[in-house]
Amino acid sequence: IRVPVERTRRTRATRNGDTFDLRRTLRRSLRTQGEPFDRAWRTRRTRTRPLVLILDVSGSMAPYARALMQFGYAAMAAGRRVEVFCFGTRLTRVTRTLKTKDPDRAMHEIGLQVADWEGGTRIGESLKTLVDGWSQRAALRGAVVVLCSDGLERGDPEVLRQQMARLHRLAHRIVWANPLKGSPRYEPLARGMAAALPSVDVFVSGHDLESLEELSRVLAG
């Protein structure tokens, strides 16, 4: 998985940059009797953007839950600024569990840790827990947020709409991966998905390994 990056305001010296470095050029010119033969350049630094994965493990997502956990495990291995959450009827942070070197052990421990695995779906309430608890943290501000869910909300769609709007104001970009979108006949008509889409920047499928690889390319882009 290629994690997202951003260009910062800080710069670094480089051989072929996009900003002329007058100070270093003048220092170098002292070696050539004041002639600026050796020009110096700078370019803006890059750093990894925070990546937040929010994975639906409710009953309707059961066929995809393990693949999503493996995707989360790979994301944890690829970047340092990664947070992973699961939800069904409530939100559970599984970041620390996924840091183990044994993926099978991580999957087993998450199965024990997430009490609502293959249960109901409360997307809006779970997002409210996330935004309420993490809105002031660097892990969420300016992050690329990936929400993997079929959007079959069992709660109030208005709550989902409100929380998605809050999350969109905090994040750099929201990517929604929906396994149902893999079908050519799919239309996002479910109340939950319809409520969420106005705050979604990128809407992709997430039904198989190929689509998850495409999701990885979206994150890097």
Side-chain angles (χ1 to χ4, degrees):
I1 292 178
R2 293 173 290 177
V3 294
V5 297
E6 64 176 328
R7 299 185 72 186
T8 68
R9 293 183 179 180
R10 299 182 63 181
T11 62
R12 62 178 177 84
T14 184
R15 184 179 298 273
N16 298 305
D18 48 20
T19 302
F20 180 60
D21 190 334
L22 178 61
R23 181 179 295 181
R24 287 179 61 232
T25 299
L26 291 176
R27 285 203 303 267
R28 290 178 178 181
S29 71
L30 297 178
R31 300 194 296 264
T32 55
Q33 289 75 51
E35 295 293 337
F37 294 126
D38 188 8
R39 296 188 177 186
W41 300 89
R42 302 188 69 82
T43 190
R44 289 171 64 182
R45 293 178 181 270
T46 61
R47 66 177 178 181
T48 302
R49 275 195 180 276
L51 176 62
V52 179
L53 302 183
I54 310 171
L55 310 178
D56 186 343
V57 295
S58 63
S60 61
M61 287 289 292
Y64 315 101
R66 183 170 181 84
L68 293 179
M69 285 296 103
Q70 292 172 336
F71 184 81
Y73 184 86
M76 288 292 303
R80 297 178 180 177
R81 306 176 71 192
V82 180
E83 289 287 345
V84 184
F85 299 87
C86 294
F87 74 90
T89 56
R90 63 185 180 183
L91 191 75
T92 303
R93 181 174 180 256
V94 296
T95 305
R96 292 181 180 177
T97 307
L98 287 175
K99 287 182 178 180
T100 179
K101 295 182 179 180
D102 185 346
D104 291 330
R105 179 182 176 185
M107 297 304 108
H108 176 72
E109 292 184 0
I110 288 175
L112 300 176
Q113 182 181 355
V114 180
D116 53 350
W117 190 283
E118 296 189 11
T121 313
R122 294 289 187 273
I123 310 174
E125 293 172 18
S126 298
L127 291 181
K128 186 177 188 304
T129 300
L130 174 69
V131 177
D132 287 349
W134 290 74
S135 62
Q136 301 303 316
R137 305 195 191 191
L140 190 57
R141 289 185 171 273
V144 173
V145 177
V146 180
L147 206 159
C148 300
S149 172
D150 54 15
L152 301 180
E153 173 69 290
R154 297 292 182 265
D156 186 350
E158 180 59 21
V159 174
L160 175 56
R161 185 194 66 78
Q162 294 173 359
Q163 300 311 314
M164 283 292 296
R166 292 178 66 197
L167 183 59
H168 193 265
R169 288 192 291 269
L170 291 170
H172 169 69
R173 183 169 51 160
I174 296 181
V175 180
W176 191 302
N178 188 327
L180 301 182
K181 193 175 184 293
S183 169
R185 294 176 294 178
Y186 172 74
E187 294 183 15
L189 301 179
R191 294 188 307 159
M193 200 68 252
L197 275 179
S199 297
V200 173
D201 298 298
V202 183
F203 188 40
V204 298
S205 61
H207 61 291
D208 57 14
L209 180 60
E210 183 178 347
S211 62
L212 291 179
E213 290 176 347
E214 176 61 27
L215 174 57
S216 177
R217 289 190 287 269
V218 169
L219 298 183

